[in-house]
Amino acid sequence: MSSGASPPEAPPSGGARPARRRLSVDRRREELVAAALELFGGRDAEDVSIDDVASVAGTSRALVYHYFGGKQELYVAALRSAADQLEARLRPSEAGGLVERPVERLGVGLGRYFDFVEERAAGFAALVRGGPANRSGEVGEIVDGVRHRLLGLVMRLLRVEEAGPVLRVTLRSWIASVETAALDWLERRDVDRRVVERMLVDQMVATLGVAARHDPRVVPLLENLVSEHAP
């Protein structure tokens, strides 16, 4: 007997529900790493929980554990992702190879570095600031590896084949200054980015001047830079 009401709409064939959006394994890992970087970039790793990452990623803590096993594994994966992104950004390009003057090459390299800082702020902050004070194990290897490759990049930009102890200390100290300046700019942004980049180039010239007083082998490099680095 009909009641006059319309019958309920029939479910899809086989009673199946509409399919949820499914992500590939790689894509899901990328989303979790991105969520982790957002958190690790703003807080110490000790203050970030798996639940925090799951909440930002819009998933369950069980899924985070499924993909990474624990917070340390996720932290390492997040830092490694940021390190790979930075190194890819700094990889020499054909355009960069057309720049002949060392100071100009250094300026181009700094520009690419700050591009990464600006566009991947959370990843940069997590890489150079986040984590435990005593960076050991895989975390230390990742961070130190990035700095070691940055040293090699700076040497190539300046066309230095081998750095003696004085020059090595000078260049590593300058790299630390670049990291500090980039973090300060990222947090405050009260100085034009290009001004910061020019200041760092000037700082390189100044620190090489100090190094040259302690090692005569630095003098030719300094003279080459000073001759083309008119104010």
Side-chain angles (χ1 to χ4, degrees):
M1 181 172 60
S2 173
S3 62
S6 299
E9 184 176 340
S13 177
R17 296 176 179 271
R20 295 178 59 187
R21 186 172 66 102
R22 297 181 63 86
L23 299 176
S24 68
V25 171
D26 290 342
R27 181 58 183 157
R28 177 66 73 185
R29 285 179 62 89
E30 288 173 4
E31 285 197 347
L32 293 174
V33 164
L37 283 175
E38 181 180 337
L39 293 167
F40 290 133
R43 304 186 221 163
D44 288 341
E46 293 87 344
D47 297 329
V48 176
S49 70
I50 289 292
D51 286 332
D52 293 330
V53 175
S55 177
V56 170
T59 189
S60 67
R61 70 196 308 267
L63 192 63
V64 181
Y65 277 113
H66 171 73
Y67 277 97
F68 294 99
K71 188 175 77 172
Q72 180 64 16
E73 290 83 353
L74 176 58
Y75 182 53
V76 168
L79 290 188
R80 196 176 301 283
S81 172
D84 290 345
Q85 292 172 26
L86 175 57
E87 290 174 25
R89 183 64 60 90
L90 295 177
R91 196 168 295 132
S93 64
E94 293 183 7
L98 299 176
V99 180
E100 293 297 329
R101 299 168 63 189
V103 164
E104 291 180 354
R105 288 197 300 274
L106 188 63
V108 170
L110 276 170
R112 294 171 69 86
Y113 184 90
F114 272 85
D115 284 344
F116 175 81
V117 171
E118 186 168 10
E119 297 168 17
R120 298 287 186 270
F124 173 77
L127 188 61
V128 303
R129 182 182 59 193
N134 180 21
R135 293 182 172 188
S136 58
E138 287 184 274
V139 173
E141 290 175 4
I142 292 169
V143 176
D144 290 344
V146 169
R147 289 172 177 156
H148 178 75
R149 284 183 281 277
L150 282 174
L151 174 61
L153 173 65
V154 172
M155 289 175 60
R156 288 195 300 274
L157 292 174
L158 297 177
R159 290 186 175 167
V160 174
E161 294 184 2
E162 184 177 354
V166 170
L167 181 57
R168 185 192 66 244
V169 169
T170 298
L171 296 181
R172 292 187 67 180
S173 298
W174 182 79
I175 288 170
S177 296
V178 171
E179 288 183 358
T180 301
L183 275 177
D184 185 87
W185 177 82
L186 192 58
E187 292 169 354
R188 302 173 186 275
R189 297 181 189 250
D190 54 358
V191 181
D192 185 89
R193 178 188 137 179
R194 303 303 175 187
V195 171
V196 177
E197 293 174 20
R198 289 195 296 271
M199 287 171 57
L200 289 168
V201 172
D202 290 344
Q203 187 183 91
M204 170 66 83
V205 175
T207 55
L208 286 175
V210 174
R213 295 203 294 270
H214 296 272
D215 185 350
R217 290 175 295 180
V218 180
V219 173
L221 173 61
L222 175 64
E223 289 178 343
N224 188 26
L225 289 178
V226 170
S227 66
E228 64 178 47
H229 189 58

